[in-house]
Amino acid sequence: MSKTAVFIWLSNVLADTSGHIAFKRAATIESDDEWHRWKAMLSSPPIWIGIFCFVLELFLWLALVSLVPLSLAALLAAFNIASVVLAAKWVYRETISPIRLAGIVCIVIGVALGSTGL
Amino acid sequence: MKRRSFYAVGFGLLVLFDTLTLISIKLTSNAMGEFSTHSAWLMAAFHTPWFYAALAGYLGSFVIWMTLLKHAPVGAAFAASHFAIVPILIVSAMIFGEHLTGAQISGSICIVLGIVFLSLGESASSTANAISANARSFQITWVNSEADIPPELWDRLFPEPFEGRWWYQALEQCGISDQFTFFYALISDPSGPVALMPAFLMDVPIRLVLPPFLIPIVNLIGRIVPSVLYQRTFFVGSPCSDEGRVGVVEHANRQEVLNYVNSAVQHKADLLKVPMRVWKDFPQSYATELSSVPGNMFPMISYPGTLVSLPNANREAYLTSLKSRYRHGLKKKLKNSTAICLEADILQRPNGPIMDEIFELFWKTYEKGKTKFEKLNRRFFDLMASHHQSYFVVLRDRNTNKIVAFMLCFHMGKHAINKFIGIDYSQPKEWFLYYRLWDAAVQFVASLGGESIQSGQTGYTAKLKLGHKLVPLYNYVSHKNPIVHWIYSIVARNISWDTLNEDLALYLQAHPDEKVSCSA
């Protein structure tokens, strides 16, 4: 895998994780009713940071699949699942139960195995 | 559409849309040509229809994801939202002719396993969140005395025929705090009180729950480490009520309340550093809810309650309702003992010397009993006797005027609780004191319009012969230490009525259809 591909993959991980974290921040905005909640969410920076991250991610995906086979890209993308869980622990102090930790370890091993020799 | 097919179609569509989105992205990138950092490469995306297909795929996934989330369990939805990796690998091999290495296939298996683990973790945390979401609307107040709960709330949540405030008052005031520490939890929501839960803390002698062959071994260990002889336990219920109860107002969602109560009990037990929690002797009517309470409790069958019905509050009708051999047996015993100079009497608020006699008889019977969970004292009896619904059914020897047997009955409308008994075992067996006493109690309860008598969790052989039905009761148990919890849960699975009590074992040999296992 070329250095560019690695860079694009890591950027993709960063964009996806940041997007999820930003959306979560936006989703926790509370209001009296659903209409005002959406209004407040749409006028808050986190939701736009989230949208920006996901648009960026789409283009990073386009770049990644043009550099590596789709199968490898799909395997690499699974890393995002683990990174979001870890980031949520770091940012929102979400707990990682032993079973979740086992899930993260499996995914990391899976991604490492899937990308070996390439 | 049925729920199961709804999920299947929903999850299938989600995986399909995710796969189509990625294929469209791949086809877009193929159409865009070789990757470059020039803006022209990026702009080329807008000129290929696959780019818009990818956008539509994103939108479709989003809509399905939101719809699924509304109805489906989070854990399953989470797994489905990432499960597209499998069809993508298949498609990339079949359509794009990519070669999948062994490492890649193993890697994808690992990832799928990881997704399964994460979704399991997600299910568990979403249940916990659901509880804490409900918990937000509930508030709990722990108090140490029944007097701190408004009397009208006791009346409302522990109405007859349940043992109410007076019962807990007697237990608190009789001076058995060396055996039990009492707690009461008052649960409220913004509309006011919703539930009342009595609880208590006790160091349970381990010999009460161990299989007999283990007792000598544990006793030996106990000489060196005395703490192994007792298991400090936080109980929900009352030490000597037949049935556990959490009083819940009608308008509240009982499952939500019980879920909340259990998490509050867990918290309280943690604060008190008590490893074991037990919901004591809860009837079948709680089985569905308590089995659904999150928190890893397992049911363990307890000593069954006993209940007899007196049709039309009539002694004759009761006798007719008995199986013929039992009816003949009872009549024969009563007839044979009529020559004995025994006199039945009903006493309310007996005076001191009579209470001395009664308590002496109780103590003799207590000493003879095998299951000794609580040790009640004279003061408790005095307090019980002062209650306006307490009646002592006594048998007196006419010659000596001495009380030779008593039964304490609580009259609760159409129901009576026959709670404590005392018999002078030094009297000849042909006096059939228990049966004489029972007959007097039946006549008395019937005369008050009582249509059923609850008779407690001991002396099953005689009670079954007197027409009692067994009432299944369950303990719901949890231990903080996962290994101990696991061991106890295995022990619990092997406990049944016949392992608990010899009388029951004999009875169930003859009536195997009445056997109840721990399928609470």
Side-chain angles (χ1 to χ4, degrees):
Chain A
M1 204 158 69
S2 68
K3 276 183 184 169
T4 320
V6 172
F7 175 74
I8 290 174
W9 169 51
L10 291 177
S11 309
N12 181 300
V13 172
L14 191 68
D16 187 68
T17 310
S18 315
H20 274 103
I21 295 295
F23 268 9
K24 171 76 184 176
R25 174 63 46 92
T28 50
I29 291 172
E30 285 188 27
S31 193
D32 296 341
D33 58 70
E34 201 63 0
W35 167 247
H36 283 97
R37 194 172 84 91
W38 276 97
K39 232 172 117 177
M41 275 199 298
L42 287 170
S43 56
S44 72
I47 201 137
W48 293 106
I49 295 172
I51 289 170
F52 171 77
C53 285
F54 284 119
V55 172
L56 181 66
E57 193 193 344
L58 172 64
F59 289 102
L60 287 167
W61 257 109
L62 284 168
L64 189 63
V65 293
S66 68
L67 290 170
V68 300
L70 180 62
S71 50
L72 176 60
L75 285 169
L76 289 173
F79 190 76
N80 291 351
I81 310 171
S83 68
V84 170
V85 176
L86 290 171
K89 179 181 166 54
W90 181 52
V91 180
Y92 296 118
R93 304 265 177 269
E94 284 185 12
T95 49
I96 298 186
S97 59
I99 195 159
R100 277 186 168 187
L101 190 66
I104 293 171
V105 170
C106 281
I107 286 172
V108 172
I109 293 172
V111 173
L113 266 178
S115 54
T116 47
L118 286 155
Chain B
M1 198 186 285
K2 279 187 179 167
R3 183 175 285 202
R4 197 170 280 183
S5 30
F6 168 79
Y7 290 163
V9 172
F11 291 145
L13 278 175
L14 186 63
V15 173
L16 182 74
F17 268 83
D18 283 342
T19 312
L20 289 176
T21 309
L22 265 180
I23 294 171
S24 305
I25 288 177
K26 178 69 184 174
L27 290 170
T28 309
S29 85
N30 285 353
M32 288 160 76
E34 205 177 317
F35 172 72
S36 87
T37 46
H38 288 293
S39 62
W41 176 82
L42 202 62
M43 294 312 284
F46 297 98
H47 299 294
T48 159
W50 290 113
F51 180 71
Y52 298 98
L55 288 181
Y58 267 129
L59 191 69
S61 295
F62 179 73
V63 171
I64 296 167
W65 170 241
M66 295 313 275
T67 314
L68 269 178
L69 263 193
K70 207 168 177 182
H71 304 282
V74 180
F78 177 85
S81 72
H82 294 99
F83 201 67
I85 188 164
V86 176
I88 288 168
L89 287 183
I90 296 169
V91 164
S92 51
M94 289 176 72
I95 299 180
F96 299 109
E98 292 176 9
H99 172 68
L100 294 183
T101 64
Q104 276 181 310
I105 293 170
S106 325
S108 63
I109 292 170
C110 271
I111 291 169
V112 168
L113 196 67
I115 293 169
V116 170
F117 280 144
L118 280 177
S119 68
L120 288 175
E122 200 72 27
S123 302
S125 74
S126 69
T127 321
N129 287 342
I131 294 170
S132 63
N134 287 329
R136 271 203 290 275
S137 61
F138 290 128
Q139 242 193 347
I140 192 159
T141 313
W142 288 95
V143 294
N144 294 90
S145 170
E146 49 72 36
D148 296 330
I149 308 280
E152 60 276 10
L153 206 60
W154 274 111
D155 294 344
R156 186 173 163 209
L157 299 176
F158 282 74
E160 287 181 358
F162 303 105
E163 291 101 336
R165 185 182 181 201
W166 56 278
W167 176 259
Y168 294 91
Q169 197 170 42
L171 281 169
E172 264 180 43
Q173 293 178 359
C174 72
I176 49 171
S177 55
D178 55 329
Q179 298 171 60
F180 310 106
T181 310
F182 295 100
F183 298 94
Y184 305 86
L186 181 58
I187 296 98
S188 315
D189 71 3
S191 72
V194 288
L196 172 56
M197 176 194 69
F200 64 97
L201 188 68
M202 180 191 182
D203 289 325
V204 181
I206 204 82
R207 66 187 146 74
L208 282 185
V209 282
L210 276 186
F213 70 92
L214 281 178
I215 294 174
I217 305 168
V218 174
N219 279 342
L220 206 65
I221 303 170
R223 287 195 185 168
I224 307 155
V225 193
S227 61
V228 302
L229 297 175
Y230 296 93
Q231 171 70 69
R232 181 155 282 202
T233 306
F234 193 91
F235 285 95
V236 176
S238 157
C240 42
S241 289
D242 270 13
E243 292 187 5
R245 177 177 169 81
V246 174
V248 181
V249 294
E250 303 81 34
H251 67 78
N253 179 328
R254 220 163 78 131
Q255 181 72 63
E256 277 182 11
V257 172
L258 294 179
N259 289 352
Y260 175 71
V261 165
N262 192 51
S263 60
V265 165
Q266 189 175 352
H267 184 64
K268 184 76 175 172
D270 287 348
L271 281 179
L272 296 165
K273 295 192 171 59
V274 181
M276 181 122 168
R277 290 175 284 128
V278 176
W279 290 62
K280 183 177 170 285
D281 292 329
F282 277 74
Q284 196 82 46
S285 55
Y286 284 84
T288 320
E289 286 146 343
L290 287 181
S291 302
S292 317
V293 164
N296 202 19
M297 290 198 291
F298 59 85
M300 182 165 87
I301 196 132
S302 182
Y303 292 88
T306 48
L307 187 75
V308 74
S309 56
L310 308 180
N312 306 321
N314 181 299
R315 175 181 175 262
E316 292 312 312
Y318 156 70
L319 289 173
T320 317
S321 73
L322 291 180
K323 282 183 182 165
S324 61
R325 60 194 160 113
Y326 293 154
R327 182 171 59 244
H328 293 310
L330 175 59
K331 282 187 171 173
K332 204 171 154 191
K333 286 183 184 98
L334 295 175
K335 198 175 150 195
N336 289 347
S337 63
T338 41
I340 319 296
C341 292
L342 288 177
E343 185 181 64
D345 201 0
I346 309 297
L347 306 176
Q348 252 202 313
R349 298 192 177 92
N351 60 26
I354 293 179
M355 278 307 290
D356 288 342
E357 274 188 77
I358 286 176
F359 188 71
E360 200 188 320
L361 286 174
F362 168 76
W363 198 249
K364 276 184 185 163
T365 313
Y366 172 82
E367 300 265 82
K368 206 170 170 279
K370 285 178 193 154
T371 323
K372 292 170 181 167
F373 188 78
E374 74 282 358
K375 189 175 173 184
L376 299 171
N377 55 19
R378 168 66 198 271
R379 172 97 181 114
F380 178 77
F381 269 76
D382 285 339
L383 288 162
M384 282 288 127
S386 66
H387 183 56
H388 71 281
Q389 284 163 307
S390 303
Y391 296 88
F392 289 90
V393 179
V394 299
L395 289 182
R396 252 197 202 100
D397 181 344
R398 272 201 203 121
N399 297 326
T400 59
N401 207 28
K402 252 187 82 180
I403 296 175
V404 288
F406 88 91
M407 199 178 256
L408 174 54
C409 288
F410 302 105
H411 171 230
M412 309 277 207
K414 293 198 170 219
H415 184 73
I417 299 175
N418 148 30
K419 196 78 201 175
F420 302 107
I421 188 168
I423 287 181
D424 182 355
Y425 290 98
S426 63
Q427 302 299 340
K429 275 194 171 170
E430 349 24 296
W431 285 22
F432 297 112
L433 285 178
Y434 181 78
Y435 294 92
R436 290 287 298 264
L437 192 62
W438 173 251
D439 189 46
V442 167
Q443 289 189 47
F444 167 65
V445 172
S447 73
L448 293 175
E451 290 180 358
S452 58
I453 306 179
Q454 179 186 314
S455 292
Q457 296 160 291
T458 51
Y460 292 106
T461 307
K463 285 173 189 168
L464 288 163
K465 283 182 183 168
L466 293 170
H468 287 76
K469 295 270 177 291
L470 297 173
V471 182
L473 297 171
Y474 300 90
N475 295 314
Y476 292 84
V477 184
S478 181
H479 197 285
K480 204 170 169 55
N481 182 319
I483 298 165
V484 179
H485 181 92
W486 179 70
I487 294 170
Y488 281 176
S489 70
I490 290 172
V491 173
R493 259 178 259 154
N494 293 303
I495 291 178
S496 61
W497 282 350
D498 23 11
T499 61
L500 279 174
N501 183 282
E502 285 171 16
D503 290 1
L504 286 174
L506 284 171
Y507 176 76
L508 292 169
Q509 266 175 17
H511 305 85
D513 51 312
E514 288 186 37
K515 202 164 176 168
V516 169
S517 68
C518 209
S519 54

